[in-house]
Amino acid sequence: MPIDRRAFLRRSGQLGLGIAVSGPVHGLLARPTAQPTPAATSGYGPLVDDPDGMLALPEGFSYRVVTQAGKTTLFSDHPSPGIHDGAAAFPAPDGNVLVVLNHEVRGGPDDGGAVPHLRGYTWREDAGGGCTVVKTTPDGEFIWETVALAGTSTNCAGGVTPWGTWLTCEETDNDGHGYVFEVDPVNLTANRDPQPIKALGRFAHEACCVDPDTLAIYLTEDTSNPYGTVYRWTPPTGFRGASGALKALDVDAGGLAAMAATDQAGNLVDDLDQGDTVGTAYTVEWVPVTDRDAGQGSVRSIDGITRAKKLEGAWWADHDGAPGAYLVSSFSDSHRGQIWHYDPAASTLSLTTVFAVEADGETVEAPDNIVAAPFGGLIVSTDGDADNHLAGVADDGTAYPIARSQMGSEFTGPTFSPDGTVLFAGIQQPGTLFAITGPWTGSTTSGGERGLARTGEPERRARPAADEGATQNAGGTR
């Protein structure tokens, strides 16, 4: 394969985790009553309420507002769209940062927060979701924001690819939606004429991650009646990852299969809910999906597979030295969230974290989006019934709060800048993107070469250059 795994881990913010998680990323057990388990003191200390009512952060941390729905402006002069969700940060060629940002709009183009329909970048006229690309300085100061994809629906989370693009997921299979689309953050003109990646199936996609060695893609499904599952797509022989290569595939290219986990007795695990002890491990097989475009009913309706309530984020990183897919299951009756790790070499699924957790006076529960931290461990955003947080899970298993939303809405899309110094994260409604800085543990040294080499001051432009899609402005709106 043409992908260098170590380079991919550097680009996607995983190098610190890939090395540091030589010890377990264990969770803190929750009793069957789902009461929080006290955690050992860790992290950055208690959160300090924000007098402006936005983010509570530890002492020594600060935030910058990057974009705000309806207040900041796209370079097409439309107001910034809202309903933020998954995101990923990429290095810009000039040393700045490009953040691809999902907008989880479920309605049409006239709904609040909808992504403007720009000519050439719109898939369907009846949908208001999509993605924007936000350019910032290395310290998170806003430069510009532009539409990269419009006319999709319910763009929830997604995943980064080893070739430097973002896969955005439609979390609905209604009205012919339910696909994954690819967004190129650097070459915006590559996003013209958007087409779904039908080879990855049509279902209520939540998130995905890519094995940089085999280019297999692991996908989570967040839905009910019945609950969703985890899928694996294996590429066809000769597939070489590159921007635009996935959407060029036929619907039956490669193989799509659903997870079937069995316990030590060989019994099918119907629902991941039954795992409530860290260290629980299952053997995994994969059941082929024969109707991946859901022409005869929902893809998840096949028999003999493992399901879970609210399957959420996915991220590729090492656990105990084994590369694999971290997979989030948000909550159930017996706990308030799980993090699993699938090891493809061993074909095992292991429970690494169980919520809820109390730390520094905060209750952390209901994990959602997930990302590896460049200094080791994981960062999760939460979407629960009580306070919502950005939280860390350290290498030694302790969970700790990093931020608390004071805006009455969930955190979304945590992602680190390429140099590991800025944590970008959103508040979903109405839609605000933040750049959070502070004394990150090891942030100036961890990961070694993962920071970009820069000469001089990064260039600042108020709008994209021609190769970054300025033709959008000339084309106007649809």
Side-chain angles (χ1 to χ4, degrees), residues 164-240:
T165 62
W166 170 248
L167 300 178
T168 179
C169 296
E170 289 190 307
E171 192 196 4
T172 178
D173 55 5
N174 294 330
D175 300 323
H177 291 281
Y179 292 111
V180 177
F181 292 77
E182 185 174 30
V183 173
D184 191 320
V186 176
N187 180 16
L188 294 184
T189 57
N191 302 318
R192 293 185 64 88
D193 186 25
Q195 297 296 323
I197 305 170
K198 292 192 173 183
L200 299 183
R202 187 173 76 83
F203 53 87
H205 286 271
E206 172 73 24
C208 60
C209 62
V210 184
D211 180 339
D213 291 329
T214 67
L215 303 189
I217 302 177
Y218 296 87
L219 309 109
T220 58
E221 180 182 31
D222 182 8
T223 190
S224 58
N225 298 318
Y227 291 144
T229 187
V230 178
Y231 299 90
R232 181 189 67 183
W233 178 79
T234 52
T237 301
F239 176 76
R240 300 175 70 85

Side-chain angles (χ1 to χ4, degrees), residues 259-269 272 280-286 306 340 342-343 346-350:
M259 176 180 286
T262 55
D263 60 20
Q264 292 184 343
N267 299 314
L268 177 69
V269 178
L272 291 179
T280 297
Y282 302 131
T283 300
V284 172
E285 296 181 346
W286 296 94
T306 299
W340 299 83
Y342 173 68
D343 178 354
S347 296
T348 56
L349 182 71
S350 301

Side-chain angles (χ1 to χ4, degrees), residues 41-51 54-64 359-362 364 375 379 388-392 399-406 411 416 423 435-441:
T41 302
S42 62
Y44 303 105
L47 304 183
V48 180
D49 282 343
D50 178 10
M54 301 187 87
L55 303 185
L57 296 170
E59 191 71 36
F61 283 74
S62 61
Y63 67 79
R64 180 198 301 272
D360 292 324
E362 306 285 335
V364 179
F375 46 81
I379 305 295
N388 287 307
H389 295 85
L390 290 175
Y400 55 92
I402 294 172
R404 174 175 17 91
S405 169
Q406 296 179 231
F411 275 104
F416 276 92
L423 175 60
I436 302 172
T437 54
W440 304 114
T441 302

Side-chain angles (χ1 to χ4, degrees), residues 82-410:
I83 323 298
H84 292 187
D85 213 298
F90 299 85
D94 61 4
N96 287 299
V97 180
L98 297 168
V99 180
V100 184
L101 179 60
N102 279 4
H103 299 276
E104 194 183 15
V105 179
R106 299 178 183 273
D110 296 326
D111 281 23
V115 178
H117 283 193
L118 265 63
R119 183 183 305 150
Y121 294 82
T122 301
W123 182 48
R124 283 177 43 172
E125 298 283 359
D126 61 347
C131 295
T132 55
V133 174
V134 180
K135 189 171 188 177
T136 78
T137 64
D139 60 358
E141 184 178 356
F142 178 78
I143 299 177
W144 51 251
E145 182 180 17
T146 187
V147 172
L149 173 67
T152 53
S153 179
T154 321
N155 295 71
C156 194
V160 297
T161 69
W163 49 91
T165 62
W166 170 248
L167 300 178
T168 179
C169 296
E170 289 190 307
E171 192 196 4
T172 178
D173 55 5
N174 294 330
D175 300 323
H177 291 281
Y179 292 111
V180 177
F181 292 77
E182 185 174 30
V183 173
D184 191 320
V186 176
N187 180 16
L188 294 184
T189 57
N191 302 318
R192 293 185 64 88
D193 186 25
Q195 297 296 323
I197 305 170
K198 292 192 173 183
L200 299 183
R202 187 173 76 83
F203 53 87
H205 286 271
E206 172 73 24
C208 60
C209 62
V210 184
D211 180 339
D213 291 329
T214 67
L215 303 189
I217 302 177
Y218 296 87
L219 309 109
T220 58
E221 180 182 31
D222 182 8
T223 190
S224 58
N225 298 318
Y227 291 144
T229 187
V230 178
Y231 299 90
R232 181 189 67 183
W233 178 79
T234 52
T237 301
F239 176 76
R240 300 175 70 85
S243 178
L246 285 169
K247 71 178 182 180
L249 295 173
D250 293 334
V251 65
D252 59 352
L256 186 68
M259 176 180 286
T262 55
D263 60 20
Q264 292 184 343
N267 299 314
L268 177 69
V269 178
D270 294 324
D271 194 318
L272 291 179
D273 173 33
Q274 67 188 59
D276 59 6
T277 303
V278 168
T280 297
Y282 302 131
T283 300
V284 172
E285 296 181 346
W286 296 94
V287 178
V289 172
T290 56
D291 180 24
R292 66 177 83 178
D293 207 42
Q296 305 300 318
S298 67
V299 173
R300 65 186 180 279
S301 61
I302 59 179
D303 295 328
I305 64 174
T306 299
R307 309 177 190 279
K309 184 177 183 179
K310 286 192 68 62
L311 282 163
E312 301 283 0
W315 196 265
W316 186 269
D318 290 7
H319 173 68
D320 278 348
Y326 278 100
L327 305 166
V328 174
S329 180
S330 194
F331 62 81
S332 73
D333 293 336
S334 64
H335 57 75
R336 295 298 296 172
Q338 305 164 313
I339 300 176
W340 299 83
H341 186 267
Y342 173 68
D343 178 354
S347 296
T348 56
L349 182 71
S350 301
L351 184 57
T352 64
T353 309
V354 179
F355 295 86
V357 175
E358 282 191 351
D360 292 324
E362 306 285 335
T363 300
V364 179
E365 61 178 13
D368 195 335
N369 294 165
I370 186 171
V371 68
F375 46 81
L378 301 169
I379 305 295
V380 297
S381 61
T382 73
D383 177 17
D385 298 328
D387 289 333
N388 287 307
H389 295 85
L390 290 175
V393 180
D395 299 339
D396 64 0
T398 55
Y400 55 92
I402 294 172
R404 174 175 17 91
S405 169
Q406 296 179 231
M407 300 176 68
S409 184
E410 67 181 273

Side-chain angles (χ1 to χ4, degrees), residues 13-17 372-377 416-417 419-421 441-443 446-447 450:
Q14 298 170 21
L15 184 61
L17 183 69
F375 46 81
F416 276 92
S417 61
D419 66 3
T421 61
T441 302
S443 62
S446 68
R450 81 177 292 276

